[in-house]
Amino acid sequence: MNPSSQTEQARQSAFQQTLLSARRTMVFSETLKLALDSFRASKMRFALTALGMVIGTASVILVITIGLTGSQLG
């Protein structure tokens, strides 16, 4: 096994250990609290993001409905 391969394996192992530690440390309640704090800090960005999601979803549904209606009439 060459040294660069061993180094890469060591990096991967360290990364996996860090990832596992982060999963154990940051439980769902902390993630939710962090998200809510972020929403409170930037209410306008949250409102615009939510509005964009609603408009985007509605437009996709509308386009699909128009397409299906057009194929049924033709």
Side-chain angles (χ1 to χ4, degrees):
M1 199 176 255
N2 60 17
S4 64
S5 177
Q6 288 176 339
T7 305
E8 185 62 31
Q9 263 187 331
R11 284 185 188 155
Q12 283 292 339
S13 176
F15 175 74
Q16 291 298 329
Q17 287 175 346
T18 303
L19 191 60
L20 183 62
S21 173
R23 284 185 184 146
R24 276 183 284 176
T25 305
M26 192 143 185
V27 294
F28 182 73
S29 62
E30 290 177 359
T31 306
L32 189 61
K33 182 180 180 295
L34 183 65
L36 290 175
D37 287 344
S38 175
F39 292 150
R40 282 189 204 111
S42 53
K43 292 178 184 174
M44 180 61 88
R45 181 174 56 181
F46 173 70
L48 290 174
T49 302
L51 181 64
M53 291 170 64
V54 168
I55 291 173
T57 304
S59 64
V60 168
I61 292 171
L62 184 65
V63 167
I64 289 173
T65 303
I66 290 171
L68 290 175
T69 304
S71 67
Q72 288 175 356
L73 295 176

